[in-house]
Amino acid sequence: MPLDPPRERESEKGRQRISQLFGRIGLVRVGGEPTIQELRRKYFSFKELLNANNEALRIIADLEEKLLNPEFLTMSYQRTRCTRIAVEVFKIIRNLEILAGRKDATLERIFDRLCREMEEELGRSAVVDTKRFVVPLEEIRPEMRDAVGAKSTNLAEMKNVLGLPVPEGFAITTLAYQRFYEYNRLAGWINSVKMSLNIHDPSSVRAASERIQGRILEAEVPQDLGEALLQAYRDLRRRCGSPLRLAVRSSALGEDSVQCSFAGLYESVLNVEEKGLLEAYKKVLASKYSVRALYYKANKGIRDEDIPMCVCCLRMVDASASGVLYTQDPFHPDRIFVTAGWGLGPSIVLGEMSPETYVLDKKTGSLLEKRRSNQSVMLVSGKDAGTVELPVPRDQADEACLNPAELEALVQIARKLEAHYGFPQDVEFSLDERGRLSLLQTRPLAPVRTPETKGLALADVPEQAVLLRAAEAETACGGVGSGLSHRVKDAADLERFPPMGGVLVARRLMPEWIGLLGRVKAIVTEVGSPTGHMASIAREFRVPMIVNARGAVEKIPEGIWVTVDATHRIVYRGRIEAPENQNLQEHGPIKESPVYKSLAFLVSRIAPLNLTNPRDRSFRAASCKTLHDIMRFCHEEAINSMFAFNDTQTLRKGRVFRLKIPVPLSVFVVDLGGGLAGLGEKQKEVNCDQVASIPFRALLEGMTTEGVRWAGHVPIGLRDFVSVFANTLYDPLKHERELGARSYAIVSERYVNFSSRLGYHFSTVDAYCGETSNSNYITFRFKGGAASQDRRERRAEFIARVLKARDFWVDQQGDLVNANYKKYSLEDTLAALAMLGRLMGCARQLDVVMESPAHVEYFANLFLNGRYDFFGQSGSSGSLP
Amino acid sequence: MTRNSILLVDDEEAFVRSLCPTLEAEGYEVAVALGGHEALQRVRSGSVDVMILDMLMPDVDGLEVLRRTREVSPLTEVVVLTGHGSVSAGLEAMRLGAFDYLLKPCEPDELLDRIRRALEKKAIEEERGSSCRESAQKRDLGQRS
């Protein structure tokens, strides 16, 4: 943000007078008036400190949220966040030194110690960075997980460490991904498309997905990257022999983890040859933005920046049969579960048919159950690239895909894998014509605890109510769900799915159903398998699901109320109350994982705030225990330095003035030049009409609008108000003053930085009104509050809503709001500033009364309709919901 | 009015070339150095207002380039932009006088913002430097008479 141009500097004469008065070179004598250069330098440091503080607060909010929702955690995430926040806090300390004119050894010592501790923790789980675009599987080690992705790492482990049959191949790294993205300048563009996406509107999601995927597919693979990929292909071909076909699959960071499988959501491109390799790579990268992936990420709260996409290329196995091995049946811990079908894997895992299933005893390996499949078509590699659907030959259709020897081999593999990982695995495998087994993927399989088998009191339900009880049906995810039945044949039916929810009945499940998460109460399909991707996802989101229920579509009429008992695989007509705890609990070892524990440790050194009250005696450098404490301490010290509050002499002689303003705020003003006008000689207080700063005038106009009440007791009638504070005569304002509430404004003719820290919350307005629209901007930040977390968040939502309605760009995270309004005309910018002034006044004590989400909407509407007097003089506030 | 000059220092040529148009569009004069030695030469010979510096380069360690730049040309502000950060590496660079330490990938807007701030700082330090000299001159004059 540029300072005002030279002509606004102090006159030559003035400067001479000052330097004559003080003699000393460049220094400001204690008690003397600072030169304008000194002031500018101080102010620059002050702003740098504030910016660094804001950035650090954002990182803290991010880390705290990660602790609550730890899905998708990687070491590289932790390392980057810690590095960034360490740098920001360093800048805070450095700039405070400039402001205060001295170093604080205690502060530095504590900061160094905290950083050392973080570094040690991060070093414990070292991440090997790679400078390579491609890494052959044989060279992958476990520490490279964040460079090559989980799929490649797991495959490498099976191959290199366990000696299991994994095809040759190579991984394409995060470095390659970054290179591709930076070269095509994709990140910023994608973010802007995603910001305009409305996740609740299917057509908006589809449109955004198409745009982004299209852009990625059209993008160019930079030459060095392209060369590296083709070279890797050629090297592999030399080793394996011609012709070489590849399976190109995603290996995103965090994919294939316990809490997040992303099962089947990314694209695999099969049977790829040299000339199709770059295109296949782009396709897999683009699949990160498929409609289903977008829904999945939205539902899991996953952000793009944290999941770079790596890709895994394996030599294609000419599979005569493929399948999935669960080393432990999710519903029966003493069993191994295998599914298989003819041809390549996708038909099985995508749930397009019902595969053969084998249930084996985990201890003895003996076959307990076997079921035939209904497979009629299979997927095979085409002669040229790609795959082709062919009917299953008659003689094969009658045979079992796996013979006893092959099953035995799978049992051995299951045992080896569990012994190694200590955790059940979901394994994809293939058999070639000669019966040679290849493993194509492994990932952790979250075991689920089944509900009590007594389940629904079956005796109580009349037999006439049973709509469907299919013998061969299987439980993909247990539990009970009920709602209106809705048959889905195609995508159009999906879009017509009732908004209040229902039971999805289909022949087979399309991946797009993920868009209905939250609305689907249960699912019944005629084909599919518990090992399919759709089943994995149903379990992740705990949607009761029955698969392989032949005749379901015919037997379950459209639009009637049904109850699905997925545990017992029965569908009833009508709404039947299920006893408590019918739905599955997942064992989530995620919080026991080393990665999570590492995060918890790091956050403990960063986020907790111990220094809350500046007036308290313990508010000193030595009391800082975390980076957040250091930030808070420095912030306070910086304000004191900037305004020399502690040095009354300087205050008298300095360029700091108190603003006389008809709202209950203490506002101090610093003039950088041209911000105030018409001041008398000895004046220490200024009136609003002496403010010459254009943006500040607008802000003040808003703040002093008739009807906007900054003060005031929130009416005692609201019971929560009383419950929040012990005494009925509590005066929040008095409390705030006691906490050292102060506001300050730094102004010049075209600029204002207004910051209000009111005890528990702070808000900042930074604005510039230039010669052209292009240089106009407003930045607004708001955080905190006195009430509970959810009330503070609602107030933040209220603010976010109002700002969005007034064309601000807004980012709200918890109780932190960041917003800006850039490049609008002078008129619009000034109007927006006035609106902000009113908003700050109205929002001031709102957190206390934000009882419910409905309050957010209520107050937002009041404000947007120009009704600022929320609580009214008479104490009646209209009808609150 | 002369344009501000930015020196990009990074051994990944393609990365550097992709950043040039963004900077030029902001009105900066952009130069490129693919190695540390070249970078230091430019610093010694011409005026570099802001340096964008990668840490991992084959010929000279980035930290060394940073250290010498700060010695030779203290008014040149250095923004580190590296793909391989760590807490200790970041702090070390900051202690050697880097203006900021950013991790790749970095949004172009964020980088531009840091460059603007670095230029502002440079202007303030220059101003301060020249007013110091002026005061010294006046004082000398005053003492002589």
PDB file of all heavy atoms in Angstrom, chain A residues 1 9 37 41 47-48 79 90-91 94 112 119 179 185, chain B residues 14 22 85 87-88 95 98 100 114 117 120 125 127-128:
ATOM      1  N   MET A   1       0.849  -1.174   0.000  1.00  0.00           N
ATOM      2  CA  MET A   1       0.000   0.000   0.000  1.00  0.00           C
ATOM      3  C   MET A   1       0.877   1.213   0.000  1.00  0.00           C
ATOM      4  O   MET A   1       1.631   1.444   0.939  1.00  0.00           O
ATOM      5  CB  MET A   1      -0.908  -0.109   1.222  1.00  0.00           C
ATOM      6  CG  MET A   1      -1.423   1.170   1.823  1.00  0.00           C
ATOM      7  SD  MET A   1      -2.220   2.220   0.637  1.00  0.00           S
ATOM      8  CE  MET A   1      -1.487   3.733   1.082  1.00  0.00           C
ATOM      9  N   ARG A   9       4.647  15.535   1.896  1.00  0.00           N
ATOM     10  CA  ARG A   9       5.564  15.540   3.038  1.00  0.00           C
ATOM     11  C   ARG A   9       5.636  16.932   3.658  1.00  0.00           C
ATOM     12  O   ARG A   9       5.260  17.919   3.070  1.00  0.00           O
ATOM     13  CB  ARG A   9       6.966  15.163   2.578  1.00  0.00           C
ATOM     14  CG  ARG A   9       7.101  13.685   2.327  1.00  0.00           C
ATOM     15  CD  ARG A   9       8.527  13.359   2.053  1.00  0.00           C
ATOM     16  NE  ARG A   9       8.610  12.093   1.348  1.00  0.00           N
ATOM     17  CZ  ARG A   9       9.639  11.720   0.621  1.00  0.00           C
ATOM     18  NH1 ARG A   9      10.662  12.538   0.487  1.00  0.00           N
ATOM     19  NH2 ARG A   9       9.662  10.579   0.020  1.00  0.00           N
ATOM     20  N   GLN A  37       9.625  11.253   8.911  1.00  0.00           N
ATOM     21  CA  GLN A  37      10.273  10.039   8.409  1.00  0.00           C
ATOM     22  C   GLN A  37      10.287   8.952   9.453  1.00  0.00           C
ATOM     23  O   GLN A  37      10.033   7.794   9.187  1.00  0.00           O
ATOM     24  CB  GLN A  37      11.732  10.302   7.994  1.00  0.00           C
ATOM     25  CG  GLN A  37      11.876  10.880   6.633  1.00  0.00           C
ATOM     26  CD  GLN A  37      12.045  12.372   6.715  1.00  0.00           C
ATOM     27  OE1 GLN A  37      11.689  13.004   7.721  1.00  0.00           O
ATOM     28  NE2 GLN A  37      12.603  12.944   5.679  1.00  0.00           N
ATOM     29  N   ARG A  41       8.575   5.335   9.298  1.00  0.00           N
ATOM     30  CA  ARG A  41       9.331   4.093   9.486  1.00  0.00           C
ATOM     31  C   ARG A  41       8.662   3.255  10.562  1.00  0.00           C
ATOM     32  O   ARG A  41       8.474   2.049  10.425  1.00  0.00           O
ATOM     33  CB  ARG A  41      10.750   4.435   9.887  1.00  0.00           C
ATOM     34  CG  ARG A  41      11.625   3.207   9.985  1.00  0.00           C
ATOM     35  CD  ARG A  41      13.087   3.589  10.024  1.00  0.00           C
ATOM     36  NE  ARG A  41      13.889   2.373  10.050  1.00  0.00           N
ATOM     37  CZ  ARG A  41      14.423   1.853  11.148  1.00  0.00           C
ATOM     38  NH1 ARG A  41      14.245   2.453  12.312  1.00  0.00           N
ATOM     39  NH2 ARG A  41      15.130   0.735  11.088  1.00  0.00           N
ATOM     40  N   LYS A  47       2.698  -1.758  10.539  1.00  0.00           N
ATOM     41  CA  LYS A  47       1.844  -2.450   9.580  1.00  0.00           C
ATOM     42  C   LYS A  47       2.370  -3.832   9.258  1.00  0.00           C
ATOM     43  O   LYS A  47       1.616  -4.780   9.134  1.00  0.00           O
ATOM     44  CB  LYS A  47       1.717  -1.651   8.281  1.00  0.00           C
ATOM     45  CG  LYS A  47       0.645  -0.653   8.345  1.00  0.00           C
ATOM     46  CD  LYS A  47      -0.258  -0.524   7.184  1.00  0.00           C
ATOM     47  CE  LYS A  47      -1.125  -1.624   6.734  1.00  0.00           C
ATOM     48  NZ  LYS A  47      -1.682  -1.265   5.433  1.00  0.00           N
ATOM     49  N   GLU A  48       3.667  -3.943   9.113  1.00  0.00           N
ATOM     50  CA  GLU A  48       4.240  -5.259   8.850  1.00  0.00           C
ATOM     51  C   GLU A  48       3.894  -6.198   9.991  1.00  0.00           C
ATOM     52  O   GLU A  48       3.555  -7.360   9.788  1.00  0.00           O
ATOM     53  CB  GLU A  48       5.770  -5.174   8.712  1.00  0.00           C
ATOM     54  CG  GLU A  48       6.233  -4.663   7.371  1.00  0.00           C
ATOM     55  CD  GLU A  48       6.008  -5.675   6.254  1.00  0.00           C
ATOM     56  OE1 GLU A  48       6.724  -6.682   6.200  1.00  0.00           O
ATOM     57  OE2 GLU A  48       5.095  -5.443   5.444  1.00  0.00           O
ATOM     58  N   ARG A  79       4.722 -29.450   8.207  1.00  0.00           N
ATOM     59  CA  ARG A  79       5.984 -28.755   8.026  1.00  0.00           C
ATOM     60  C   ARG A  79       5.766 -27.371   7.420  1.00  0.00           C
ATOM     61  O   ARG A  79       6.341 -26.390   7.876  1.00  0.00           O
ATOM     62  CB  ARG A  79       6.916 -29.590   7.155  1.00  0.00           C
ATOM     63  CG  ARG A  79       8.343 -29.085   7.111  1.00  0.00           C
ATOM     64  CD  ARG A  79       9.241 -30.098   6.453  1.00  0.00           C
ATOM     65  NE  ARG A  79       8.644 -30.593   5.214  1.00  0.00           N
ATOM     66  CZ  ARG A  79       8.875 -30.074   4.019  1.00  0.00           C
ATOM     67  NH1 ARG A  79       9.679 -29.043   3.897  1.00  0.00           N
ATOM     68  NH2 ARG A  79       8.303 -30.569   2.951  1.00  0.00           N
ATOM     69  N   PHE A  90       8.523 -14.460  13.728  1.00  0.00           N
ATOM     70  CA  PHE A  90       9.833 -13.803  13.686  1.00  0.00           C
ATOM     71  C   PHE A  90       9.675 -12.367  13.214  1.00  0.00           C
ATOM     72  O   PHE A  90      10.264 -11.441  13.777  1.00  0.00           O
ATOM     73  CB  PHE A  90      10.771 -14.559  12.748  1.00  0.00           C
ATOM     74  CG  PHE A  90      12.129 -13.935  12.654  1.00  0.00           C
ATOM     75  CD1 PHE A  90      13.140 -14.317  13.512  1.00  0.00           C
ATOM     76  CD2 PHE A  90      12.392 -12.940  11.710  1.00  0.00           C
ATOM     77  CE1 PHE A  90      14.393 -13.737  13.435  1.00  0.00           C
ATOM     78  CE2 PHE A  90      13.637 -12.343  11.636  1.00  0.00           C
ATOM     79  CZ  PHE A  90      14.648 -12.738  12.500  1.00  0.00           C
ATOM     80  N   LYS A  91       8.885 -12.181  12.162  1.00  0.00           N
ATOM     81  CA  LYS A  91       8.681 -10.822  11.639  1.00  0.00           C
ATOM     82  C   LYS A  91       8.010  -9.936  12.683  1.00  0.00           C
ATOM     83  O   LYS A  91       8.326  -8.760  12.804  1.00  0.00           O
ATOM     84  CB  LYS A  91       7.830 -10.869  10.359  1.00  0.00           C
ATOM     85  CG  LYS A  91       8.577 -11.451   9.181  1.00  0.00           C
ATOM     86  CD  LYS A  91       7.910 -11.185   7.848  1.00  0.00           C
ATOM     87  CE  LYS A  91       6.578 -11.841   7.703  1.00  0.00           C
ATOM     88  NZ  LYS A  91       6.029 -11.717   6.345  1.00  0.00           N
ATOM     89  N   ARG A  94      10.725  -8.968  15.171  1.00  0.00           N
ATOM     90  CA  ARG A  94      11.679  -8.045  14.556  1.00  0.00           C
ATOM     91  C   ARG A  94      11.097  -6.643  14.410  1.00  0.00           C
ATOM     92  O   ARG A  94      11.745  -5.652  14.686  1.00  0.00           O
ATOM     93  CB  ARG A  94      12.101  -8.583  13.189  1.00  0.00           C
ATOM     94  CG  ARG A  94      13.014  -7.627  12.429  1.00  0.00           C
ATOM     95  CD  ARG A  94      13.626  -8.263  11.209  1.00  0.00           C
ATOM     96  NE  ARG A  94      12.653  -8.421  10.131  1.00  0.00           N
ATOM     97  CZ  ARG A  94      12.947  -9.014   8.974  1.00  0.00           C
ATOM     98  NH1 ARG A  94      14.154  -9.506   8.775  1.00  0.00           N
ATOM     99  NH2 ARG A  94      12.031  -9.140   8.042  1.00  0.00           N
ATOM    100  N   ASP A 112      12.925 -18.855  20.420  1.00  0.00           N
ATOM    101  CA  ASP A 112      13.907 -19.825  19.940  1.00  0.00           C
ATOM    102  C   ASP A 112      13.608 -21.215  20.464  1.00  0.00           C
ATOM    103  O   ASP A 112      13.682 -22.200  19.734  1.00  0.00           O
ATOM    104  CB  ASP A 112      15.320 -19.415  20.396  1.00  0.00           C
ATOM    105  CG  ASP A 112      15.857 -18.274  19.576  1.00  0.00           C
ATOM    106  OD1 ASP A 112      15.317 -18.037  18.472  1.00  0.00           O
ATOM    107  OD2 ASP A 112      16.808 -17.602  20.019  1.00  0.00           O
ATOM    108  N   GLU A 119      10.880 -27.906  15.541  1.00  0.00           N
ATOM    109  CA  GLU A 119      11.800 -28.481  14.566  1.00  0.00           C
ATOM    110  C   GLU A 119      12.146 -29.912  14.935  1.00  0.00           C
ATOM    111  O   GLU A 119      12.195 -30.793  14.090  1.00  0.00           O
ATOM    112  CB  GLU A 119      13.066 -27.615  14.516  1.00  0.00           C
ATOM    113  CG  GLU A 119      14.062 -28.023  13.482  1.00  0.00           C
ATOM    114  CD  GLU A 119      13.759 -27.451  12.105  1.00  0.00           C
ATOM    115  OE1 GLU A 119      12.596 -27.213  11.805  1.00  0.00           O
ATOM    116  OE2 GLU A 119      14.713 -27.275  11.341  1.00  0.00           O
ATOM    117  N   ARG A 179       4.955 -28.428 -10.898  1.00  0.00           N
ATOM    118  CA  ARG A 179       5.505 -27.866 -12.135  1.00  0.00           C
ATOM    119  C   ARG A 179       4.393 -27.643 -13.138  1.00  0.00           C
ATOM    120  O   ARG A 179       4.282 -26.599 -13.749  1.00  0.00           O
ATOM    121  CB  ARG A 179       6.526 -28.879 -12.687  1.00  0.00           C
ATOM    122  CG  ARG A 179       7.175 -28.467 -13.955  1.00  0.00           C
ATOM    123  CD  ARG A 179       8.435 -27.646 -13.708  1.00  0.00           C
ATOM    124  NE  ARG A 179       8.960 -27.238 -14.985  1.00  0.00           N
ATOM    125  CZ  ARG A 179       8.595 -26.126 -15.603  1.00  0.00           C
ATOM    126  NH1 ARG A 179       7.730 -25.323 -15.037  1.00  0.00           N
ATOM    127  NH2 ARG A 179       9.099 -25.836 -16.776  1.00  0.00           N
ATOM    128  N   ARG A 185      -0.212 -21.842 -14.629  1.00  0.00           N
ATOM    129  CA  ARG A 185      -0.842 -20.876 -13.745  1.00  0.00           C
ATOM    130  C   ARG A 185      -2.261 -21.293 -13.383  1.00  0.00           C
ATOM    131  O   ARG A 185      -3.213 -20.542 -13.516  1.00  0.00           O
ATOM    132  CB  ARG A 185      -0.858 -19.491 -14.391  1.00  0.00           C
ATOM    133  CG  ARG A 185       0.544 -18.978 -14.657  1.00  0.00           C
ATOM    134  CD  ARG A 185       0.489 -17.928 -15.725  1.00  0.00           C
ATOM    135  NE  ARG A 185      -0.170 -16.729 -15.253  1.00  0.00           N
ATOM    136  CZ  ARG A 185       0.423 -15.760 -14.594  1.00  0.00           C
ATOM    137  NH1 ARG A 185       1.705 -15.860 -14.301  1.00  0.00           N
ATOM    138  NH2 ARG A 185      -0.244 -14.704 -14.201  1.00  0.00           N
TER     139      ARG A 185
ATOM    140  N   ALA B  14      12.682 -22.498 -16.393  1.00  0.00           N
ATOM    141  CA  ALA B  14      11.288 -22.417 -16.827  1.00  0.00           C
ATOM    142  C   ALA B  14      10.425 -21.708 -15.786  1.00  0.00           C
ATOM    143  O   ALA B  14       9.527 -20.934 -16.120  1.00  0.00           O
ATOM    144  CB  ALA B  14      10.758 -23.806 -17.096  1.00  0.00           C
ATOM    145  N   THR B  22       4.376 -11.742 -15.315  1.00  0.00           N
ATOM    146  CA  THR B  22       3.590 -11.206 -14.202  1.00  0.00           C
ATOM    147  C   THR B  22       4.241  -9.951 -13.640  1.00  0.00           C
ATOM    148  O   THR B  22       3.581  -8.947 -13.379  1.00  0.00           O
ATOM    149  CB  THR B  22       3.501 -12.242 -13.065  1.00  0.00           C
ATOM    150  OG1 THR B  22       3.180 -13.494 -13.626  1.00  0.00           O
ATOM    151  CG2 THR B  22       2.454 -11.830 -12.054  1.00  0.00           C
ATOM    152  N   GLY B  85      11.259 -25.622   2.273  1.00  0.00           N
ATOM    153  CA  GLY B  85      11.425 -24.846   3.493  1.00  0.00           C
ATOM    154  C   GLY B  85      11.476 -25.709   4.732  1.00  0.00           C
ATOM    155  O   GLY B  85      11.100 -26.870   4.731  1.00  0.00           O
ATOM    156  N   VAL B  87      11.542 -24.909   9.340  1.00  0.00           N
ATOM    157  CA  VAL B  87      11.538 -23.867  10.375  1.00  0.00           C
ATOM    158  C   VAL B  87      12.931 -23.263  10.510  1.00  0.00           C
ATOM    159  O   VAL B  87      13.117 -22.040  10.481  1.00  0.00           O
ATOM    160  CB  VAL B  87      11.057 -24.445  11.725  1.00  0.00           C
ATOM    161  CG1 VAL B  87      11.240 -23.429  12.832  1.00  0.00           C
ATOM    162  CG2 VAL B  87       9.592 -24.835  11.627  1.00  0.00           C
ATOM    163  N   SER B  88      13.931 -24.107  10.650  1.00  0.00           N
ATOM    164  CA  SER B  88      15.273 -23.570  10.888  1.00  0.00           C
ATOM    165  C   SER B  88      15.813 -22.830   9.668  1.00  0.00           C
ATOM    166  O   SER B  88      16.444 -21.784   9.803  1.00  0.00           O
ATOM    167  CB  SER B  88      16.242 -24.668  11.317  1.00  0.00           C
ATOM    168  OG  SER B  88      16.194 -25.725  10.389  1.00  0.00           O
ATOM    169  N   ARG B  95      17.128 -14.204   9.826  1.00  0.00           N
ATOM    170  CA  ARG B  95      18.170 -13.585  10.664  1.00  0.00           C
ATOM    171  C   ARG B  95      19.263 -12.968   9.824  1.00  0.00           C
ATOM    172  O   ARG B  95      19.912 -12.014  10.252  1.00  0.00           O
ATOM    173  CB  ARG B  95      18.784 -14.631  11.604  1.00  0.00           C
ATOM    174  CG  ARG B  95      17.837 -15.018  12.704  1.00  0.00           C
ATOM    175  CD  ARG B  95      18.482 -15.804  13.825  1.00  0.00           C
ATOM    176  NE  ARG B  95      17.477 -16.072  14.833  1.00  0.00           N
ATOM    177  CZ  ARG B  95      16.921 -17.262  15.051  1.00  0.00           C
ATOM    178  NH1 ARG B  95      17.296 -18.306  14.334  1.00  0.00           N
ATOM    179  NH2 ARG B  95      15.992 -17.405  15.985  1.00  0.00           N
ATOM    180  N   ALA B  98      16.718 -11.381   5.412  1.00  0.00           N
ATOM    181  CA  ALA B  98      15.712 -11.486   4.360  1.00  0.00           C
ATOM    182  C   ALA B  98      14.479 -10.687   4.764  1.00  0.00           C
ATOM    183  O   ALA B  98      14.135 -10.625   5.937  1.00  0.00           O
ATOM    184  CB  ALA B  98      15.327 -12.949   4.135  1.00  0.00           C
ATOM    185  N   ASP B 100      11.426 -11.410   3.618  1.00  0.00           N
ATOM    186  CA  ASP B 100      10.387 -12.406   3.868  1.00  0.00           C
ATOM    187  C   ASP B 100      10.853 -13.756   3.345  1.00  0.00           C
ATOM    188  O   ASP B 100      11.823 -13.837   2.580  1.00  0.00           O
ATOM    189  CB  ASP B 100       9.062 -12.003   3.198  1.00  0.00           C
ATOM    190  CG  ASP B 100       7.851 -12.521   3.969  1.00  0.00           C
ATOM    191  OD1 ASP B 100       7.993 -13.509   4.714  1.00  0.00           O
ATOM    192  OD2 ASP B 100       6.756 -11.944   3.810  1.00  0.00           O
ATOM    193  N   ARG B 114       4.255  -8.747  -1.539  1.00  0.00           N
ATOM    194  CA  ARG B 114       5.498  -8.679  -0.774  1.00  0.00           C
ATOM    195  C   ARG B 114       6.507  -7.775  -1.457  1.00  0.00           C
ATOM    196  O   ARG B 114       7.263  -7.062  -0.820  1.00  0.00           O
ATOM    197  CB  ARG B 114       6.103 -10.093  -0.598  1.00  0.00           C
ATOM    198  CG  ARG B 114       5.230 -11.068   0.153  1.00  0.00           C
ATOM    199  CD  ARG B 114       4.540 -10.483   1.367  1.00  0.00           C
ATOM    200  NE  ARG B 114       5.482 -10.083   2.387  1.00  0.00           N
ATOM    201  CZ  ARG B 114       5.238  -9.198   3.347  1.00  0.00           C
ATOM    202  NH1 ARG B 114       4.082  -8.606   3.424  1.00  0.00           N
ATOM    203  NH2 ARG B 114       6.155  -8.914   4.239  1.00  0.00           N
ATOM    204  N   ARG B 117       5.681  -4.241  -0.713  1.00  0.00           N
ATOM    205  CA  ARG B 117       6.063  -3.862   0.643  1.00  0.00           C
ATOM    206  C   ARG B 117       7.575  -3.710   0.761  1.00  0.00           C
ATOM    207  O   ARG B 117       8.075  -2.838   1.457  1.00  0.00           O
ATOM    208  CB  ARG B 117       5.569  -4.928   1.642  1.00  0.00           C
ATOM    209  CG  ARG B 117       4.067  -5.106   1.636  1.00  0.00           C
ATOM    210  CD  ARG B 117       3.323  -3.966   2.269  1.00  0.00           C
ATOM    211  NE  ARG B 117       3.510  -3.935   3.700  1.00  0.00           N
ATOM    212  CZ  ARG B 117       3.210  -2.871   4.447  1.00  0.00           C
ATOM    213  NH1 ARG B 117       2.726  -1.780   3.909  1.00  0.00           N
ATOM    214  NH2 ARG B 117       3.387  -2.911   5.743  1.00  0.00           N
ATOM    215  N   GLU B 120       8.544  -0.463  -0.557  1.00  0.00           N
ATOM    216  CA  GLU B 120       8.184   0.596   0.379  1.00  0.00           C
ATOM    217  C   GLU B 120       9.248   0.712   1.452  1.00  0.00           C
ATOM    218  O   GLU B 120       9.667   1.808   1.832  1.00  0.00           O
ATOM    219  CB  GLU B 120       6.838   0.239   1.006  1.00  0.00           C
ATOM    220  CG  GLU B 120       6.011   1.419   1.401  1.00  0.00           C
ATOM    221  CD  GLU B 120       4.702   0.980   2.041  1.00  0.00           C
ATOM    222  OE1 GLU B 120       4.065   0.052   1.512  1.00  0.00           O
ATOM    223  OE2 GLU B 120       4.359   1.561   3.073  1.00  0.00           O
ATOM    224  N   GLU B 125      13.932   3.413   3.991  1.00  0.00           N
ATOM    225  CA  GLU B 125      15.321   3.344   4.459  1.00  0.00           C
ATOM    226  C   GLU B 125      16.198   4.338   3.703  1.00  0.00           C
ATOM    227  O   GLU B 125      17.106   4.939   4.285  1.00  0.00           O
ATOM    228  CB  GLU B 125      15.879   1.920   4.282  1.00  0.00           C
ATOM    229  CG  GLU B 125      15.208   0.873   5.165  1.00  0.00           C
ATOM    230  CD  GLU B 125      15.402   1.121   6.648  1.00  0.00           C
ATOM    231  OE1 GLU B 125      16.511   1.523   7.050  1.00  0.00           O
ATOM    232  OE2 GLU B 125      14.434   0.944   7.408  1.00  0.00           O
ATOM    233  N   GLU B 127      15.196   7.167   2.416  1.00  0.00           N
ATOM    234  CA  GLU B 127      14.790   8.476   2.926  1.00  0.00           C
ATOM    235  C   GLU B 127      15.505   8.756   4.226  1.00  0.00           C
ATOM    236  O   GLU B 127      16.045   9.826   4.471  1.00  0.00           O
ATOM    237  CB  GLU B 127      13.284   8.410   3.175  1.00  0.00           C
ATOM    238  CG  GLU B 127      12.555   9.702   3.169  1.00  0.00           C
ATOM    239  CD  GLU B 127      11.084   9.448   3.460  1.00  0.00           C
ATOM    240  OE1 GLU B 127      10.781   9.086   4.615  1.00  0.00           O
ATOM    241  OE2 GLU B 127      10.283   9.586   2.538  1.00  0.00           O
ATOM    242  N   ARG B 128      15.505   7.771   5.042  1.00  0.00           N
ATOM    243  CA  ARG B 128      16.133   7.878   6.360  1.00  0.00           C
ATOM    244  C   ARG B 128      17.624   8.119   6.199  1.00  0.00           C
ATOM    245  O   ARG B 128      18.210   8.952   6.864  1.00  0.00           O
ATOM    246  CB  ARG B 128      15.904   6.565   7.069  1.00  0.00           C
ATOM    247  CG  ARG B 128      16.279   6.558   8.502  1.00  0.00           C
ATOM    248  CD  ARG B 128      15.694   5.292   9.122  1.00  0.00           C
ATOM    249  NE  ARG B 128      16.308   5.087  10.411  1.00  0.00           N
ATOM    250  CZ  ARG B 128      17.081   4.057  10.712  1.00  0.00           C
ATOM    251  NH1 ARG B 128      17.333   3.138   9.821  1.00  0.00           N
ATOM    252  NH2 ARG B 128      17.594   3.942  11.918  1.00  0.00           N
TER     253      ARG B 128
END
